[in-house]
C-alpha cells in the first residue's frame, strides 16, 4: 500500500514493537508528529522539557527493559541537543534509535534555517548514522537501524529524514522483524579450551564483571561459572547487578573508588577473568601495575576490546552468555578454599564505613536500600553521590543501576529515571543526584509531573561540586576554584513550583520519614538532603597510582601525622 514517509516511520516503529517514544517537536518533524498523534493509543509519546532529556529517557528505558529506546527531535538545535545523550549511550553500549528530521532535500547544504548535518555530527558517537533522501529506502533503513542497535555490541543509531521525504509517498509492506539472537554461533572452541585450561591451572583466580554481562543477559550462567571456578567476584560500575551484591563471594567494586578487598585481591591474584569489561582507566589505575601478578583472560563480544587498554594472555570472542555456557560445560569443579579465605579476611578487615549519627550520602543510600528492601531501580547522576550509590546499595539483579559510566554525564539521571519508570511502571525508581548535577536537567521534573511518572528525586546537597572539590582538597591544596554553589536556590520550592512534592532532610530521622512518605505518595517527589560539603568518597586511588595503593580517611590521617 502507498504511505507517506511519516506514516512509514510510525508503521515501522510499530513493527519493531515500540510502545513509547521520548521527544520534542519542531517544524521539520511536524509530519511525523502529526502521524504520531493519530497513533497515540498505540505509541505513547513522552514530551520532555529538553531534547537531551529525551535522549537520556530513551537510554534509561533501554537499560531498564532491555528493549531499544527511541527518541525524536527536529532539525538544527533540536538534533544537536540529542548529542550528549547519544554519546552517553554509545560509551555504555546502550541500544537507542534517535530519529531526527532535517530541512528538505533541495535545501540541504545551503545553510538553511535550522539545518545541521546531524548524521555527520554523530558519526563518531553512533554505531551508524543514516540520512534518508529517498522515501523508497525509508522503511528498510529504519529496520536496519534497529538491527544494528541490537546486534553484537549494542549501541545508538541515528536516522535523519529530510522533511520532504516525510511527505512523499512510497509502497509499504509490513514485515515481521523476528527475534534477534545475540549469541554468536562462531565461538572458537580452541579459545574456550585454552580459557578452561588457564582456569584449571590457577590457584588464585579473581573474576571481574562488566556491563557486557548485563547486556548479554548472562547472570544465571555467570553465577554457575563463579561457583565452578570457586573465585571471588568484583565488578565495574556498569557491571553492578550482573552478580548478586549480597553473595559471600562478592567483594565490592574495583578501581578508583573500589573496595580495598577488591583492589588488593586483583593485585595479588594469579588469574584475572574479565567478563564483559573494557578496562576503563578508572578501574585499572596505573596500567603498568594493574593485576601485575596475574595472567589475564578476557571474554567479550567485541574483538576490538582485546589488547586495547591492557595486554591480555588469552581472549574468547563471543556473546558472554554463550561463552560462559560453553565454559560451564567443560570446566571441572575447582577448589580454592585458602584463597577464598584470604579474600574474606580482606573483606572483614577493610569494610566500607562512614561517619555515623549525621546525615551523609552513604546513610541516604543505605536507607533507600532498607526501605525498598533492595527492590528498586536506581538511577544516578555523576560524582560522589554516584559512587555512594554504587558502594552502599546491594544490587542483586541486572538492569537495576542505571548510570553514565563511560561519558560521565552530569544531568543523565532524572531523564533516565523517567525512561526507566515508563518502561517498568511496577518498579520503584529513584534518582540519586548531587545538587550540581540536578541543576543540569532539573527541568525534567516538570516532565515527570506532566506525564504522571512517579519518580523519586533524592538530591545529595552539599552546596558544592562534590567530586571535583574532593580532588581539589586532596590534590590541589584546597584551591576550590569554581566548585562552590552556595546561592539562594531552594530545591523544595523549585519542586513545588513544577508541581512535584518537595521535602527537606537535615538529619537521619528526617530522611527516614521523608523517604517513607515519598514511597507512599505515588507522585513525583524531590527530597533535598543537606550534607557536609567536605564529605568524601572512600576508599580512593590517586590518579595514575596503582589500585593496590587505595587509601581511606584513616590512612590519610596517619600519613599527615
Amino acid at each position: 500500500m502507498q504511505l507517506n514517509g511519516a506514516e512509514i516511520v510510525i508503521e515501522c516503529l510499530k513493527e519493531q514493537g515500540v510502545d513509547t517514544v521520548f521527544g520534542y517537536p519542531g517544524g521539520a518533524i511536524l509530519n511525523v508528529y502529526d502521524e504520531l498523534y493519530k497513533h497515540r493509543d498505540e505509541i505513547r509519546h513522552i514530551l520532555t522539557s529538553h531534547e537531551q532529556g529525551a535522549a537520556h529517557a530513551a537510554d534509561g528505558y533501554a537499560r531498564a527493559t532491555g528493549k531499544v529506546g527511541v527518541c525524536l527531535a527536529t532539525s538544527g538545535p533540536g538534533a544537536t541537543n540529542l548529542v550528549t545523550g547519544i554519546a552517553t549511550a554509545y560509551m555504555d553500549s546502550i541500544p537507542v534509535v534517535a530519529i531526527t528530521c532535517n530541512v528538505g532535500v533541495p535545501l540541504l547544504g545551503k545553510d538553511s534555517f535550522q539545518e545541521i548535518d546531524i548524521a555527520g555530527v554523530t558519526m563518531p558517537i553512533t554505531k551508524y548514522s543514516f540520512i534518508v533522501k529517498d522515501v523508497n529506502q525509508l522503511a528498510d533503513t529504519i529496520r536496519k537501524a534497529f538491527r544494528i542497535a541490537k546486534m553484537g555490541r549494542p549501541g545508538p543509531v541515528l536516522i535523519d529524514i529530510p522533511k520532504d521525504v516525510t511527505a512523499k509517498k512510497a509502497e509499504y509492506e509490513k514485515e515481521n522483524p523476528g527475534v534477534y539472537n545475540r549469541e554468536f554461533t562462531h565461538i572458537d572452541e580452541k579459545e574456550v579450551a585454552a580459557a578452561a585450561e588457564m582456569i584449571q591451572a590457577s590457584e588464585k583466580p579473581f573474576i571481574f564483571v562488566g556491563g557486557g554481562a548485563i547486556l548479554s543477559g548472562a547472570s544465571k550462567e555467570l553465577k554457575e561459572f563463579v561457583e565452578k571456578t570457586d573465585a571471588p567476584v568484583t565488578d565495574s560500575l556498569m557491571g553492578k547487578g550482573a552478580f548478586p551484591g549480597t553473595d559471600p563471594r562478592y567483594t565490592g567494586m574495583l578501581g578508583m573508588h573500589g573496595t580495598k578487598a577488591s583492589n588488593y585481591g586483583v593485585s595479588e591474584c594469579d588469574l584475572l577473568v574479565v567478563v564483559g569489561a573494557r578496562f576503563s582507566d578508572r578501574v585499572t589505575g596505573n596500567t603498568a601495575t594493574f593485576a601485575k601478578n596475574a595472567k589475564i583472560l578476557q571474554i567479550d563480544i567485541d574483538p576490538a576490546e582485546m589488547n586495547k587498554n591492557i595486554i591480555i594472555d588469552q581472549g574468547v570472542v563471543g556473546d558472554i552468555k554463550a561463552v560462559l555456557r560453553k565454559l560451564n560445560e567443560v570446566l571441572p569443579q575447582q577448589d580454592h578454599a585458602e584463597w577464598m579465605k584470604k579474600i574474606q579476611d580482606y573483606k572483614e578487615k577493610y569494610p566500607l564505613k562512614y561517619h555515623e549519627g549525621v546525615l551523609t550520602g552513604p546513610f541516604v543510600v543505605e536507607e533507600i536500600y532498607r526501605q525498598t528492601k533492595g527492590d528498586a531501580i536506581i538511577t544516578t547522576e555523576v560524582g560522589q553521590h554516584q559512587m555512594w550509590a554504587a558502594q552502599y546499595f546491594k544490587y542483586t539483579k541486572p538492569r537495576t543501576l542505571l548510570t553514565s559510566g563511560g561519558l560521565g554525564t552530569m544531568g543523565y539521571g532524572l531523564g533516565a529515571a523517567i525512561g526507566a519508570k515508563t518502561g517498568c511502571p511496577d518498579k520503584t525508581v529513584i534518582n540519586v543526584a548531587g545538587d550540581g548535577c540536578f541543576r543540569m536537567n532539573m527541568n525534567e521534573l516538570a516532565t515527570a509531573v506532566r506525564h504522571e511518572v512517579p519518580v523519586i528525586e533524592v538530591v545529595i546537597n552539599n552546596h558544592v561540586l562534590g567530586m571535583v572539590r574532593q580532588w581539589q582538597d586532596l590534590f590541589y591544596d584546597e584551591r576550590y576554584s569554581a566548585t562552590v554553589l552556595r546561592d539562594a536556590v531552594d530545591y523544595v520550592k523549585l519542586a513545588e513550583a513544577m508541581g512535584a512534592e518537595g521535602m527537606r532532610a537535615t538529619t537521619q530521622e528526617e530522611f527516614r520519614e521523608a523517604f517513607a512518605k515519598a514511597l507512599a505518595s505515588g507522585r513525583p517527589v524531590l527530597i533535598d538532603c543537606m550534607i557536609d560539603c567536605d564529605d568524601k568518597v572512600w576508599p580512593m586511588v590517586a590518579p595514575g597510582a596503582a589500585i593496590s595503593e587505595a587509601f581511606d580517611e584513616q590512612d590519610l590521617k596517619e600519613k599527615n601525622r
Side-chain angles (χ1 to χ4, degrees):
M1 58 180 163
Q2 288 277 314
L3 298 179
N4 66 36
E7 292 171 324
I8 290 171
V9 169
I10 302 304
E11 290 303 320
C12 285
L13 292 180
K14 287 161 58 180
E15 277 182 10
Q16 298 295 327
V18 174
D19 54 24
T20 306
V21 296
F22 306 87
Y24 205 97
I29 202 170
L30 265 179
N31 290 337
V32 173
Y33 266 83
D34 187 56
E35 195 60 33
L36 189 60
Y37 180 85
K38 300 171 188 174
H39 293 266
R40 60 190 181 278
D41 293 335
E42 298 166 278
I43 300 177
R44 183 184 185 188
H45 178 266
I46 302 292
L47 175 64
T48 56
S49 299
H50 189 282
E51 290 91 352
Q52 185 178 336
H56 293 327
D59 174 303
Y61 177 95
R63 295 192 202 218
T65 64
K67 302 176 185 177
V68 177
V70 179
C71 56
L72 309 176
T74 194
S75 64
T80 58
N81 282 345
L82 293 177
V83 167
T84 298
I86 292 171
T88 301
Y90 181 74
M91 290 291 283
D92 291 343
S93 304
I94 306 304
V96 169
V97 170
I99 298 174
T100 57
C101 287
N102 216 322
V103 299
V105 172
L107 296 175
L108 291 172
K110 297 182 178 179
D111 293 334
S112 304
F113 177 68
Q114 290 193 333
E115 180 199 355
I116 194 79
D117 177 13
I118 193 61
V121 168
T122 59
M123 192 175 295
I125 55 167
T126 53
K127 287 186 73 178
Y128 209 98
S129 292
F130 297 94
I131 180 166
V132 186
K133 298 179 182 179
D134 180 354
V135 69
N136 294 292
Q137 297 175 2
L138 182 56
D140 285 344
T141 301
I142 294 172
R143 292 163 184 153
K144 186 176 181 181
F146 275 83
R147 284 198 301 272
I148 292 172
K150 291 183 287 188
M151 67 190 292
R153 181 177 183 168
V157 178
L158 178 125
I159 311 168
D160 192 35
I161 312 168
K163 186 173 183 178
D164 55 343
V165 173
T166 66
K168 291 179 179 177
K169 290 193 172 184
E171 191 66 25
Y172 165 80
E173 186 173 339
K174 183 177 180 180
E175 286 190 10
N176 183 354
V179 178
Y180 171 67
N181 185 0
R182 281 181 41 82
E183 297 187 17
F184 275 11
T185 55
H186 303 296
I187 296 170
D188 191 327
E189 298 295 340
K190 291 181 180 178
E191 292 180 351
V192 174
E197 188 176 326
M198 287 179 74
I199 294 167
Q200 291 177 73
S202 168
E203 295 181 359
K204 297 187 291 183
F206 216 117
I207 297 171
F208 171 41
V209 181
I214 292 174
L215 296 171
S216 174
S219 291
K220 179 176 176 289
E221 290 77 8
L222 176 63
K223 196 163 192 314
E224 182 182 345
F225 174 71
V226 167
E227 290 170 356
K228 270 205 162 185
T229 307
D230 192 27
V233 181
T234 182
D235 55 20
S236 69
L237 184 66
M238 299 306 301
K240 292 215 158 283
F243 186 81
T246 52
D247 192 286
R249 297 182 185 276
Y250 180 67
T251 61
M253 193 165 60
L254 181 67
M256 180 172 281
H257 294 294
T259 62
K260 286 187 176 183
S262 293
N263 286 351
Y264 293 171
V266 167
S267 298
E268 295 173 22
C269 70
D270 66 5
L271 175 66
L272 183 63
V273 184
V274 183
V275 183
R278 58 187 176 82
F279 293 112
S280 161
D281 56 293
R282 291 298 171 98
V283 161
T284 63
N286 186 336
T287 54
T289 60
F290 179 74
K292 63 182 178 180
N293 299 308
K295 290 185 176 180
I296 296 179
L297 165 63
Q298 186 174 9
I299 304 169
D300 206 286
I301 199 168
D302 187 355
E305 287 299 329
M306 305 294 176
N307 297 306
K308 185 177 82 173
N309 295 329
I310 294 288
I311 301 302
I312 65 173
D313 296 276
Q314 178 65 47
V316 183
V317 177
D319 178 74
I320 288 166
K321 185 172 186 173
V323 172
L324 291 180
R325 189 183 295 133
K326 286 180 176 290
L327 278 171
N328 289 338
E329 289 171 358
V330 301
L331 190 66
Q333 179 63 49
Q334 305 296 295
D335 183 1
H336 303 111
E338 187 177 340
W339 172 239
M340 288 300 300
K341 183 177 185 310
K342 182 172 186 178
I343 298 302
Q344 186 60 39
D345 289 344
Y346 276 149
K347 286 175 63 176
E348 292 173 4
K349 186 176 180 180
Y350 303 113
L352 291 173
K353 53 188 176 182
Y354 58 89
H355 295 284
E356 297 183 3
V358 294
L359 190 63
T360 63
F363 171 83
V364 166
V365 173
E366 283 196 335
E367 186 61 24
I368 291 171
Y369 179 77
R370 281 190 288 267
Q371 291 201 31
T372 61
K373 298 180 175 60
D375 186 18
I377 293 174
I378 304 297
T379 67
T380 81
E381 308 291 348
V382 171
Q384 289 180 315
H385 62 277
Q386 178 189 33
M387 295 298 102
W388 289 324
Q391 291 174 326
Y392 289 94
F393 195 100
K394 295 180 178 66
Y395 299 92
T396 58
K397 297 176 183 176
R399 302 191 181 279
T400 52
L401 174 62
L402 317 183
T403 190
S404 174
L407 196 63
T409 305
M410 294 175 71
Y412 166 80
L414 182 51
I418 292 169
K421 183 65 177 177
T422 304
C424 304
D426 295 334
K427 283 286 187 182
T428 299
V429 179
I430 301 117
N431 182 43
V432 179
D435 51 319
C437 289
F438 178 57
R439 293 164 181 255
M440 293 281 182
N441 283 322
M442 59 189 178
N443 47 5
E444 297 307 335
L445 200 56
T447 302
V449 173
R450 180 188 307 118
H451 291 281
E452 299 180 341
V453 182
V455 295
I456 301 173
E457 177 80 2
V458 177
V459 180
I460 310 294
N461 189 351
N462 53 12
H463 293 96
V464 294
L465 300 179
M467 187 61 85
V468 185
R469 181 185 174 91
Q470 178 165 332
W471 281 45
Q472 289 172 333
D473 194 42
L474 296 174
F475 310 121
Y476 289 85
D477 296 324
E478 301 180 6
R479 294 186 295 275
Y480 303 124
S481 177
T483 53
V484 178
L485 304 176
R486 293 205 173 273
D487 50 31
V489 178
D490 185 326
Y491 294 128
V492 173
K493 289 181 179 178
L494 180 74
E496 292 170 347
M498 291 188 178
E501 185 172 354
M503 293 179 273
R504 181 169 289 113
T506 59
T507 66
Q508 292 184 352
E509 187 54 38
E510 286 178 355
F511 181 74
R512 285 192 193 98
E513 293 174 3
F515 190 72
K517 186 177 178 183
L519 282 176
S521 73
R523 55 189 294 243
V525 177
L526 178 145
I527 307 174
D528 187 17
C529 304
M530 315 299 286
I531 71 166
D532 189 274
C533 66
D534 286 316
D535 282 359
K536 292 180 174 61
V537 180
W538 301 115
M540 183 174 188
V541 176
I547 61 171
S548 58
E549 297 172 21
F551 64 95
D552 57 23
E553 189 172 22
Q554 187 60 37
D555 296 326
L556 193 63
K557 286 178 180 177
E558 291 177 2
K559 179 182 177 182
N560 293 335
R561 277 177 184 169

